[in-house]
Amino acid sequence: MQLFHRLFGNKEWGNYVFFSDEINISHTEKGTMMKSNYWLFVGGTLMVLLFALSGCSSASNSGDDGTSTSGPVSIRTDHSTYMPTDSIHVSVINNLQTSIFAYDTRASCTILDLQMQVNGVWQGTNIARCPLGRPAMRVEIPAGNTYSAMIQAGSLGISQASFPVGTYRLVLSYSTSATSLPQQNTTTIYSATFSVASSS
C-alpha cells in the first residue's frame, strides 16, 4: 500500500507533522461490508493511528452510485444520499490538458468547500472543520489526474459530529496558473447536489 505524505507544521519551531492520505481497510461483519478509514499522524517521536468506522453499504445507500458532473473539471461523490454520520468520499477529475491548482484547509482540510441549502439559499457550513492551524497550501492536480478526498463532520482526527439533515453541494475554485493567489483568477464549479437523510 502506497502512502502519499504531506508536510504540515511550523518550520520556525521545527514542529513537523506528517499526515498520510486515507488508508481504507474493508471487512465483513454479519454479512454487511464495512469500511474503516485510517489516518496516520507522525509528529516528532509520537505516532498515532486514528480511525473512523463507517458503513460501506447500508439500506439507504444500496445501489446508490453517487453523483458526477461533466465538464473539463468534474466532481464526483460516492453516494447521492448519506446518513448523518457517514463520510463523503469525493473525487475531482482534471480532464484538461494542463494542471489545475487549488488551495486546501477547506472542508475537512481538502480543497473543497461544503455548502448547505437553507430556505432555498446556498450557505457555507463549518460542520466539517479543518484543525491544521496553518496557512492554506497550493495543491496541484496534473492533467488527466484525479484528486481524492474524504469529508466528515467534526474536526478531522480531533472531534466527531453529525451532518444535519438537508441538501448539500461541494464547491471547487481552481486556477490553471501556479502563481495565482487564493481567490484570484479562479474558476468556480459545483458538484451535483446530494442529501443527508435521517437515520430513523
Side-chain angles (χ1 to χ4, degrees):
M1 182 179 297
Q2 185 177 9
L3 298 179
F4 298 90
H5 296 82
R6 296 195 294 269
L7 180 63
F8 298 134
N10 186 327
K11 292 185 178 180
E12 179 180 354
W13 291 97
N15 296 325
Y16 296 101
V17 178
F18 293 92
F19 171 52
S20 77
D21 282 354
E22 176 189 350
I23 308 167
N24 294 324
I25 300 176
S26 299
H27 63 281
T28 57
E29 180 176 319
K30 297 182 180 180
T32 301
M33 178 65 75
M34 305 293 289
K35 179 169 63 180
S36 296
N37 305 312
Y38 295 83
W39 301 271
L40 184 64
F41 290 85
V42 182
T45 58
L46 177 64
M47 179 181 295
V48 182
L49 184 66
L50 302 174
F51 73 92
L53 182 65
S54 62
C56 184
S57 63
S58 63
S60 65
N61 289 332
S62 179
D64 185 346
D65 293 329
T67 71
S68 183
T69 61
S70 59
V73 177
S74 60
I75 301 174
R76 180 183 302 159
T77 63
D78 61 334
H79 294 300
S80 60
T81 303
Y82 296 89
M83 294 293 100
T85 57
D86 283 347
S87 297
I88 302 165
H89 293 257
V90 57
S91 301
V92 176
I93 303 95
N94 179 12
N95 298 306
L96 293 170
Q97 299 300 310
T98 184
S99 291
I100 62 173
F101 303 87
Y103 284 80
D104 65 6
T105 66
R106 300 183 183 277
S108 292
C109 303
T110 69
I111 61 174
L112 295 147
D113 285 311
L114 180 66
Q115 292 183 341
M116 182 179 182
Q117 196 173 55
V118 180
N119 297 324
V121 178
W122 288 107
Q123 298 180 359
T125 174
N126 63 354
I127 188 64
R129 295 178 296 277
C130 180
L132 291 180
R134 61 155 173 78
M137 295 178 64
R138 188 175 61 242
V139 175
E140 178 182 5
I141 309 176
N145 283 27
T146 297
Y147 168 91
S148 298
M150 184 188 68
I151 295 174
Q152 65 179 33
S155 295
L156 186 64
I158 296 177
S159 65
Q160 294 182 337
S162 299
F163 289 108
V165 172
T167 302
Y168 293 80
R169 70 180 181 183
L170 295 162
V171 185
L172 172 67
S173 293
Y174 71 88
S175 172
T176 55
S177 171
T179 60
S180 292
L181 297 174
Q183 308 305 321
Q184 289 188 354
N185 303 314
T186 59
T187 298
T188 299
I189 60 172
Y190 303 89
S191 74
T193 59
F194 54 90
S195 61
V196 173
S198 174
S199 57
S200 61

